[in-house]
Amino acid sequence: MSFIEELTWRGMIHQMMPGTEQQLEKEMTTAYLGIDPTADSLHIGHLVGVMMLKHFQRSGHKPIALVGGATGMIGDPSMKSQERKLLDEKTLRHNQEAIKAQLAKFLDFDSDAPNAAEMVNNYDWMKNFSFLDFIRDVGKHITVNYMMAKDSVKKRLLGESQQGMSFTEFSYQLVQGYDFLNLYREKNCRLQLGGSDQWGNITTGTELIRRTLGGEAFALTCPLITKADGGKFGKTESGNVWLDARYTSPYKFYQFWLNVSDADAEKYIKIFTELSKEEIEDLIAQQNEDPGKRPLQHRLAREITTMVHSAELYDKAVEASQILFNPKATEALHNLDEATLLEIMEGVPQFEVSREKINEGVRLIELLTEGAPVFPSKGEMRKMTQQGGLSVNKEKATDPELIVTPEMLLNDKYILVSRGKRNHFLLIAK
């Protein structure tokens, strides 16, 4: 499939400038996508653009990832209600390196292929550009009327916010437009990719190329991803879902994809994986036949967690997610780090118990009745134990008089108590 055909069936094209498809059919083409470097990690909101670059390279074309060091110092007004905080150069450089390491999991930067990916930073060509040179060489080619007509500008000026729009932000589209002009001139870049909210900025670039060099350049945007219920994609109660394990653990990352709705899973598996049309149609058919098995969500979570983290971390995330429901998960439970253990136990009732008593050695029946209200009475605790329904750290407890010692603590702090198959409690020794 061609790049356009691939993106079309995946539902990844929102707008496309006339002539774009013909340009891509004619020759190997260079395209760029801008990435905001305001953090040292991408989040899943960036992944649509990253997947566009990945498909672009797979189709035989050359992708450029542009880190907006200069534009990051300004702040894009598109669809934002207020200005962002500006970053210093040292922070931007650190963020750039971290982002390139993440992109290397999706793009080939290192081979000697003619379409090997490149990363550039617009700060490199903007830092020595004087204000007078910029308004003379760039600003004179684009009228204020043209800039005011852009949706991103109109929404800010006519919006409810009383802040209006600073000149700094107003000039953003000129700076982004110059990026395209510079890459067109220096790297023969003919196409800019981006989200649908970037259409105005991208077309300013194509217009600047036309007016200054008489050249022809193209634009293609993907739709902004939404959830079927209208909620914002990629946002959870704790904020963004990040690609860096320091901010979103592989377990939480895996859980995010595993828990998307059926309608969203059908859409996301086309956008965020490389699975073929036939494979996806087969998974959709399986889902329709037996929705309870959720094959779409399981495959989506596997593909994307493996791509972003690794097969090994995917396996660990699956193992961790089964701990509460797998009676034979004793070893896996003992191997968990504290952060993942607490993530798994989110929502599980938690009780503080006396570390001093555990250090001295406390009877299990006393710990689960007087130490923590896992059982309302000792009689009920004995009955559950006799019936084989009580387990401690996934090991069946057969003796109510068992002495609980510090050696039994998970991560030197926790005990998982399970009453039957569904009732779990986390005891925290303090």
Side-chain angles (χ1 to χ4, degrees), residues 47-68:
L47 275 182
V48 190
V50 174
M51 291 304 293
M52 286 174 80
L53 288 180
K54 187 173 179 67
H55 289 302
F56 193 69
Q57 190 171 41
R58 282 181 69 202
S59 302
H61 301 291
K62 183 179 179 67
I64 295 177
L66 179 143
V67 171

Side-chain angles (χ1 to χ4, degrees), residues 195-214:
S196 58
D197 60 332
Q198 291 296 308
W199 183 256
N201 292 333
I202 295 173
T203 51
T204 297
T206 61
E207 187 67 7
L208 193 58
I209 289 166
R210 186 183 70 79
R211 293 186 186 187
T212 55
L213 302 175

